[in-house]
Amino acid sequence: MMAKNATLSGGVLKKVILSYTYLAIWIVLSGTVIVYNKYILDKKLYDWPFPISLTMIHMGFCSSLAFFLVRILKFVELFTLSRRVYFTCVLPIGALYSLSLWLSNSAYIYLSVSFIQMLKALMPVAVYTIGILLKKESFKKSTMCNMLAISIGVAIAAYGESKFDSFGVSLQLLSVLVEATRLVLIQILLNSKGIKLNPIATLYYVAPSCFVFLSIPWVFVELPVFKERGFGLDFDFMVFGTNCLCAFALNLAVFLVVGNTSALTMNIGGVVKDWLLIAFSWSVIKDSVTPLNLVGYGLAFLGVAYYNHQKLQTLKAKEAEKKCQLQQDDEEEGGGLLLTEREQNGTGEKGDSQY
């Protein structure tokens, strides 16, 4: 018995270590992609300020690799989608995803990495608000007060930002709003129909549509600048190739983390990643982080942590309710089987006592 318990505890420990290893890899890769994109787009660093082109390069590269993994290597099982589902569900989500990536990458030209991470703390606020508008979430005063606290924290952080750029902030806030809308639509259009795509399958279906959607503004916004400056001749395959590999590796890491941990663990990992990026931005990139920035983001962080705690309690309550329902169903089925046996034998308690 002791050996069995030791084996079980060893297995659990191994699973925990593996899960947090995947989480650490995801944190490192996510931070790497963010810093790398900032390096490429910032006019003071690599000075290649073409966010639409960079996003299109990512989508083209990810589409090709996803096709290779799904169709050639059969790395993941593909959920076949009908044309109707693709055009009514996947394409709108792809359009929002491309717009979100374009706006968020554009913000790196004007804002620091640390300040962008602080603004991203508004994501739960946007998701909850849009969820209420689309009748996916129910209005609760306590949750709304929590959302208000997060918003106030981010506002304080913005007020304390030494290099505040209103256009950059507008881009990032629009990106948060579009991304939140995309997340809610995924629940409404896909998850409600039992369609759950892993990150590789998502790239297989969504990345090509993102590339097409992005090509429309690219023709009018960035192509004329490319022609004027002749930047196409200076394309560095080493820089952009490694950048694309990091972006794709991040999607693989998401696949591993989602498959081996919970959504809550990933949210907590995201908060850890934000703090690490703020520290990295301040210490290595030398971005200015003021005390008021930290106070404001600290308040927003507490609000996000409490929101995640509420979500965890809700999930636990739902799981407990499901277990109770399953137990009741099992008991009813067991009772029905016992009654059927007695009816078939033509005996009851009194019949049993005759023998």
Side-chain angles (χ1 to χ4, degrees):
M1 186 69 179
M2 290 179 65
K4 187 177 179 181
N5 289 337
T7 304
L8 286 172
S9 60
V12 171
L13 180 62
K14 184 179 178 181
K15 188 176 180 181
V16 169
I17 292 173
L18 198 61
S19 297
Y20 280 96
T21 300
Y22 291 145
L23 187 65
I25 292 171
W26 171 73
I27 289 172
V28 171
L29 284 172
S30 181
T32 301
V33 170
I34 289 171
V35 173
Y36 211 156
N37 288 349
K38 170 67 175 177
Y39 167 74
I40 291 173
L41 294 167
D42 198 312
K43 295 178 181 178
K44 297 178 182 178
L45 299 172
Y46 189 76
D47 191 20
W48 202 78
F50 299 102
I52 305 177
S53 300
L54 181 63
T55 310
M56 287 179 67
I57 291 169
H58 286 171
M59 292 298 104
F61 184 83
C62 288
S63 297
S64 303
L65 271 187
F67 180 86
F68 181 75
L69 289 173
V70 171
R71 290 295 185 183
I72 309 300
L73 297 183
K74 310 291 184 183
F75 183 72
V76 295
E77 186 178 352
L78 188 65
F79 193 104
T80 305
L81 301 178
S82 65
R83 284 188 177 182
R84 182 175 176 277
V85 171
Y86 184 79
F87 283 104
T88 60
C89 299
V90 175
L91 279 186
I93 291 169
L96 290 172
Y97 189 41
S98 60
L99 181 58
S100 171
L101 290 173
W102 171 19
L103 291 170
S104 62
N105 281 335
S106 298
Y108 285 113
I109 299 174
Y110 307 96
L111 303 175
S112 66
V113 171
S114 57
F115 187 44
I116 285 176
Q117 300 313 120
M118 294 176 189
L119 292 175
K120 284 181 180 179
L122 286 171
M123 184 62 73
V125 180
V127 170
Y128 182 68
T129 304
I130 293 169
I132 291 174
L133 293 174
L134 297 180
K135 298 182 179 179
K136 190 65 182 177
E137 295 275 359
S138 57
F139 178 83
K140 294 179 181 177
K141 285 185 179 180
S142 59
T143 306
M144 190 52 75
C145 288
N146 187 25
M147 297 298 106
L148 184 61
I150 295 172
S151 303
I152 292 171
V154 173
I156 293 171
Y159 183 77
E161 176 63 20
S162 60
K163 297 179 181 178
F164 186 90
D165 187 290
S166 57
F167 184 66
V169 170
S170 300
L171 289 172
Q172 184 55 46
L173 292 180
L174 279 173
S175 171
V176 169
L177 185 63
V178 172
E179 179 63 11
T181 306
R182 184 184 75 90
L183 293 174
V184 175
L185 283 183
I186 287 175
Q187 293 180 346
I188 295 173
L189 297 178
L190 295 181
N191 294 351
S192 61
K193 298 179 181 179
I195 302 172
K196 293 185 178 180
L197 301 176
N198 60 61
I200 305 301
T202 300
L203 284 177
Y204 176 82
Y205 283 116
V206 175
S209 64
C210 285
F211 185 90
V212 173
F213 282 122
L214 287 166
S215 65
I216 298 170
W218 180 78
V219 169
F220 298 100
V221 177
E222 294 186 0
L223 180 58
V225 182
F226 269 94
K227 289 181 177 179
E228 182 184 343
R229 299 186 184 182
F231 270 35
L233 300 174
D234 300 326
F235 190 84
D236 193 326
F237 285 94
M238 179 62 71
V239 170
F240 291 97
T242 52
N243 179 247
C244 287
L245 281 173
C246 288
F248 190 80
L250 174 60
N251 282 282
L252 287 177
V254 170
F255 175 68
L256 292 172
V257 171
V258 169
N260 292 275
T261 65
S262 65
L264 182 69
T265 304
M266 200 165 180
N267 285 339
I268 294 171
V271 172
V272 173
K273 179 201 72 178
D274 290 343
W275 280 111
L276 289 175
L277 277 172
I278 290 171
F280 180 87
S281 177
W282 172 73
S283 60
V284 179
I285 304 178
K286 303 301 180 183
D287 284 337
S288 175
V289 179
T290 66
L292 202 55
N293 279 147
L294 296 177
V295 169
Y297 183 66
L299 178 60
F301 161 74
L302 292 175
V304 172
Y306 182 68
Y307 176 73
N308 288 333
H309 173 73
Q310 283 184 316
K311 283 286 185 183
L312 177 62
Q313 297 304 314
T314 304
L315 288 173
K316 283 183 177 180
K318 286 182 179 179
E319 287 179 4
E321 188 178 344
K322 284 182 181 178
K323 285 181 180 179
C324 288
Q325 186 62 43
L326 287 172
Q327 287 177 355
Q328 287 178 2
D329 292 343
D330 289 341
E331 287 174 2
E332 288 175 2
E333 287 178 7
L337 287 171
L338 182 61
L339 184 59
T340 304
E341 278 186 20
R342 288 174 177 171
E343 288 174 350
Q344 287 176 349
N345 294 332
T347 60
E349 290 181 359
K350 288 183 179 178
D352 290 340
S353 65
Q354 288 176 357
Y355 290 93

